[in-house]
Amino acid sequence: MNGTPARDTHGKIVYVVEDDADVARLIRATLQDFGFGIVACPTAADLFRRIGRQAPDLCIVDLGLPDMDGMDVVRQLRERCDCGILILTGRGYVGDRIMGLELGADDYVAKPFDPRELVARVRSILRRTASPPAGQRKVPGTAQFAGWSFHTGSNTLAAQDGSEWSLSTAEAQLLKTFIAHPNRILSREQLLCERDVSPFDRSIDVRISRLRRKLEADPQNPKLIRTVYGAGYLFAADVSWS
């Protein structure tokens, strides 16, 4: 597909950053069947040129691109565009997938992949990152907990000394889930918006680790985001709103 596509009935545009033409065609055909608008980007340069004209709702990024390392693409994409990011990789190293999640990706799919799984993961990311309909939209507020302030409208986290961090979409969504259910054990499925979670799925653990590094004085011995072995995680703080 060339040029800028018209928005489809769902209003969702997916950029497929993949240099293998056969794989790109499979992804395009699969997602178009479900009503998504697709833009194929065979190189990182093509991706960044296009997002300057139109920001996508989600990018599917292959790690093995010809002109830039996929990890660098994920990092730059997270800095430049507030969209969902799904890593597509043929690499067999678990460390690569974890690194991608550390850099801000929302999820990953390994090659070869089941097209149904790809669609399910794309939908899951878009549910987590979507804004609610205008009639259901709550007024953004600020949550205070354990000396921190979290501005939900801008996804900004502020410490008592005035320092601030801008959270990624995935980090902000996770923190919003925690502050909506303080002092309550939440399962991995609940934290991932009810998506079925494989015992080997590390995506939620990586996001927890990223949040801990921002919120905890000692991330190796967390006091705020506690692991409840065999059950999930607990956000151990009282939350007030302004």
Side-chain angles (χ1 to χ4, degrees):
M1 179 181 296
N2 296 319
T4 301
R7 288 273 168 172
D8 66 309
T9 55
H10 301 292
K12 302 299 181 183
I13 295 295
V14 177
Y15 283 11
V16 179
V17 192
E18 168 63 68
D19 64 315
D20 186 317
D22 291 334
V23 174
R25 277 193 293 269
L26 173 60
I27 296 172
R28 181 174 59 202
T30 298
L31 294 180
Q32 282 181 334
D33 283 346
F34 286 85
F36 293 101
I38 305 300
V39 173
C41 302
T43 66
D46 193 34
L47 165 68
F48 291 121
R49 183 169 58 252
R50 288 177 180 273
I51 65 172
R53 300 197 300 265
Q54 179 183 26
D57 296 287
L58 182 141
C59 283
I60 298 175
V61 180
D62 176 34
L63 293 183
L65 296 172
D67 61 335
M68 184 183 294
D69 183 78
M71 296 299 182
D72 289 333
V73 173
V74 170
R75 180 171 55 248
Q76 291 190 33
L77 190 57
R78 179 53 67 215
E79 293 172 351
R80 297 168 61 174
C81 182
D82 186 21
C83 66
I85 301 175
L86 176 66
I87 287 176
L88 184 65
T89 177
R91 300 177 184 176
Y93 300 109
V94 174
D96 281 340
R97 302 175 191 175
I98 293 174
M99 183 181 295
L101 295 169
E102 289 274 11
L103 291 173
D106 296 287
D107 206 346
Y108 61 81
V109 171
K111 297 178 183 178
F113 58 88
D114 185 321
R116 295 169 298 179
E117 179 186 7
L118 180 69
V119 172
R121 290 184 182 268
V122 166
R123 284 176 160 175
S124 178
I125 293 172
L126 291 173
R127 281 198 301 270
R128 295 199 301 266
T129 58
S131 299
Q136 301 175 16
R137 198 167 295 162
K138 295 181 179 180
V139 176
T142 299
Q144 286 90 26
F145 56 88
W148 293 93
S149 296
F150 177 52
H151 307 283
T152 60
S154 61
N155 291 345
T156 303
L157 184 66
Q160 286 180 314
D161 64 5
S163 56
E164 293 187 348
W165 293 266
S166 293
L167 302 186
S168 70
T169 301
E171 290 171 333
Q173 185 59 51
L174 179 60
L175 184 54
K176 288 174 184 177
T177 302
F178 274 132
I179 62 179
H181 305 91
N183 299 302
R184 173 181 163 187
I185 297 173
L186 299 175
S187 68
R188 291 154 61 87
E189 289 82 1
Q190 288 173 308
L191 292 170
L192 283 170
C193 299
E194 311 299 330
R195 174 168 70 78
D196 290 338
V197 180
S198 161
F200 304 103
D201 191 326
R202 295 289 309 279
S203 59
I204 190 62
D205 305 304
V206 172
R207 290 173 201 154
I208 293 289
S209 177
R210 293 206 313 252
L211 269 184
R212 280 175 171 164
R213 288 201 296 270
K214 292 181 174 71
L215 293 171
E216 304 279 2
D218 181 2
Q220 300 303 315
N221 296 284
K223 305 297 183 184
L224 187 58
I225 303 176
R226 299 179 181 175
T227 301
V228 182
Y229 292 100
Y233 295 94
L234 181 143
F235 190 72
D238 293 325
V239 180
S240 61
W241 292 85
S242 61

